[in-house]
């Protein structure tokens, strides 16, 4: 069972999810006695993947692929899979990957399973464990197709170094005008801060902050932790923060190692969107807030007193352990 993975990148640099995907692929490859091939598109320093067990990198360099295009990228991965005679294709659970994964599956007449957590339950038959019902349950899915595409939930496996001698080959897939039916006209990106998608730590706040003028302490806490800032839906709806920071089932999903919720009651849609985070810390004045039912750690109290003290303690801790 040859394995091909899409090595997702941004501005020429691999995303952290790519290293997790490579680690995951290597573990399966070891049990099957096969190899791992990564498809890298317009990416610098592809040798980085050798740290995580990738045996071969198919490097695609094409100016037309500078901006993400689901149809064109899926065609590249399809051709790479055929080239490598792969019957298992791995992608991450980022927005871009979830756009292209179904296209890859259809083009290869393959099965597709999203939200996969952990290594396959069984290889023959091929079974994977997936989250279901907004991360409230798990399902074991059996895939009966010869070729399968699976997307791995972020932070569900981890990143593990496994140094390998990696070969790099230039790969030039044949792309037609049909692959570029959709054109990217502009890209707007937040700069100078950690993005929610790539953050290991997320500090999020809700209406309990009472107004946008009080967000300074949230940004300071995030800065001390090297975290991304986020917010609840009502906050973005009120215009206190941009919609790009809205997390939850109707916003951006978060699967951070640490998620800190300040002044967020915990509506079911919000919890569903952050439930994949490993450790959840809640700070709220209301001891009956729904968020406490899913929290790993909870603090009942006034955020305007607790957060500044937390920032102070963290600064002291960092100074002592620098």
């Amino acid at each position: 069972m040859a394995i091909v993975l899409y090595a997702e990148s941004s501005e020429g640099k691999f995303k952290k999810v790519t290293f997790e995907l490579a680690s995951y692929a290597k573990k399966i490859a070891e049990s099957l006695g096969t190899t791992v091939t990564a498809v890298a598109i317009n990416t610098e320093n592809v040798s980085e993947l050798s740290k995580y067990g990738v045996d071969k990198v198919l490097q695609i360099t094409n100016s037309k692929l500078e901006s993400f295009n689901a149809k064109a990228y899926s065609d590249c991965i399809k051709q790479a899979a055929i080239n490598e005679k792969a019957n298992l294709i791995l992608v991450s659970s980022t927005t871009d990957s979830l756009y292209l994964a179904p296209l890859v599956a259809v083009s290869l007449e393959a099965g597709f399973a999203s939200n996969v957590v952990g290594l396959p339950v069984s290889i023959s038959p091929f079974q994977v464990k997936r989250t279901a019902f907004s991360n409230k349950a798990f399902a074991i899915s059996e895939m009966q197709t010869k070729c399968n595409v699976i997307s791995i939930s972020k932070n569900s496996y981890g990143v593990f170094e496994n140094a390998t001698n990696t070969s790099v080959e230039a790969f030039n897939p044949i792309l037609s005008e049909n692959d570029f039916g959709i054109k990217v006209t502009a890209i707007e990106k937040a700069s100078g801060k950690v993005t929610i998608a790539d953050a290991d730590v997320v500090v999020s706040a809700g209406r309990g902050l009472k107004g946008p003028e009080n967000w300074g302490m949230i940004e300071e806490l995030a800065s001390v932790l090297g975290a991304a800032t986020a917010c609840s839906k009502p906050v973005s709806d009120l215009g206190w923060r941009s919609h790009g920071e809205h997390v939850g089932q109707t916003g951006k999903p978060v699967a951070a190692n640490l998620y800190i919720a300040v002044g967020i009651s915990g509506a079911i849609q919000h919890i569903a969107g952050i439930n994949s985070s490993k450790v959840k810390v809640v700070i709220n004045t209301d001891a009956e807030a729904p968020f406490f039912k899913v929290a790993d750690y909870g603090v009942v109290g006034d955020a305007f007193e607790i957060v500044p003290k937390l920032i102070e303690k963290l600064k002291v801790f960092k100074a002592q352990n620098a």
Side-chain angles (χ1 to χ4, degrees):
M1 182 184 286
I3 300 173
V4 163
L5 66 90
Y6 167 46
E8 191 166 343
S9 61
S10 176
E11 296 180 347
K13 295 180 173 29
F14 289 121
K15 294 182 178 180
K16 181 188 171 185
V17 292
T18 292
F19 304 137
E20 181 172 28
L21 203 61
S23 303
Y24 182 94
K26 184 62 174 180
K27 191 65 176 178
I28 299 177
E30 286 176 344
S31 66
L32 293 173
T34 188
T35 57
V36 177
T37 297
V39 182
I41 301 175
N42 291 334
T43 309
E44 305 165 4
N45 196 20
V46 294
S47 60
E48 273 188 294
L49 295 176
S50 66
K51 296 179 185 177
Y52 306 98
V54 172
D55 299 288
K56 182 196 291 187
V57 178
L58 296 181
Q59 188 172 28
I60 300 172
T61 304
N62 187 329
S63 60
K64 287 187 175 182
L65 299 173
E66 289 297 334
S67 298
F68 175 76
N69 180 309
K71 180 67 171 65
Y73 275 46
S74 67
D75 210 356
C76 291
I77 297 167
K78 168 198 169 183
Q79 291 181 47
I82 293 172
N83 183 78
E84 297 299 299
K85 298 180 174 58
N87 49 8
L88 181 60
I89 296 94
L90 306 180
V91 299
S92 67
S93 58
T94 65
T95 302
D96 285 355
S97 286
L98 290 178
Y99 270 122
L100 66 84
L103 297 174
V104 174
V106 169
S107 65
L108 292 171
E109 297 184 352
F112 172 50
S114 59
N115 305 320
V116 172
V117 292
L119 295 167
V121 176
S122 168
I123 295 297
S124 183
F126 192 72
Q127 296 177 330
V128 290
K129 182 179 179 180
R130 309 166 62 203
T131 56
F133 302 113
S134 298
N135 298 317
K136 294 184 181 66
F138 296 103
I140 304 298
S141 298
E142 182 172 313
M143 307 179 75
Q144 299 180 344
T145 43
K146 291 181 179 179
C147 182
N148 295 301
V149 178
I150 62 175
S151 72
I152 314 302
S153 291
K154 180 186 174 187
N155 283 338
S156 65
Y157 183 72
V159 176
F160 304 96
E161 291 195 10
N162 191 338
T164 306
N165 291 324
T166 304
S167 63
V168 180
E169 296 180 9
F171 186 62
N172 298 298
I174 299 171
L175 301 174
S176 69
E177 286 303 313
N178 289 334
D179 287 310
F180 300 96
I182 296 175
K183 305 289 185 184
V184 176
T185 57
I187 298 176
E188 294 182 9
K189 288 187 176 182
S191 59
K193 59 182 180 179
V194 183
T195 64
I196 294 172
D198 296 328
D200 287 325
V201 181
V202 174
V203 179
S204 187
R207 283 182 293 183
L209 258 68
K210 300 179 181 179
E213 66 278 3
N214 297 319
W215 230 264
M217 67 179 184
I218 299 299
E219 292 177 333
E220 186 177 4
L221 177 58
S223 177
V224 171
L225 292 170
T229 57
C231 68
S232 62
K233 185 177 186 298
V235 165
S236 63
D237 286 345
L238 287 166
W240 294 359
R241 302 296 287 183
S242 72
H243 284 285
E245 291 193 0
H246 163 208
V247 299
Q249 192 173 32
T250 56
K252 292 183 177 179
V254 170
N257 287 324
L258 172 62
Y259 183 82
I260 302 175
V262 182
I264 301 176
S265 62
I268 189 170
Q269 294 88 349
H270 187 91
I271 292 174
I274 62 90
N275 219 22
S276 293
S277 295
K278 289 187 176 178
V279 177
K280 295 174 278 291
V281 177
V282 174
I283 301 171
N284 203 297
T285 54
D286 180 9
E288 301 300 318
F291 223 139
F292 283 114
K293 294 179 181 178
V294 300
D296 296 286
Y297 301 94
V299 181
V300 179
D302 187 346
F304 294 98
E305 296 178 5
I306 294 168
V307 174
K309 290 180 180 178
L310 178 59
I311 292 170
E312 182 181 340
K313 292 290 186 182
L314 285 169
K315 285 181 176 178
V316 170
F317 177 81
K318 287 183 73 175
Q320 292 175 343
N321 293 273

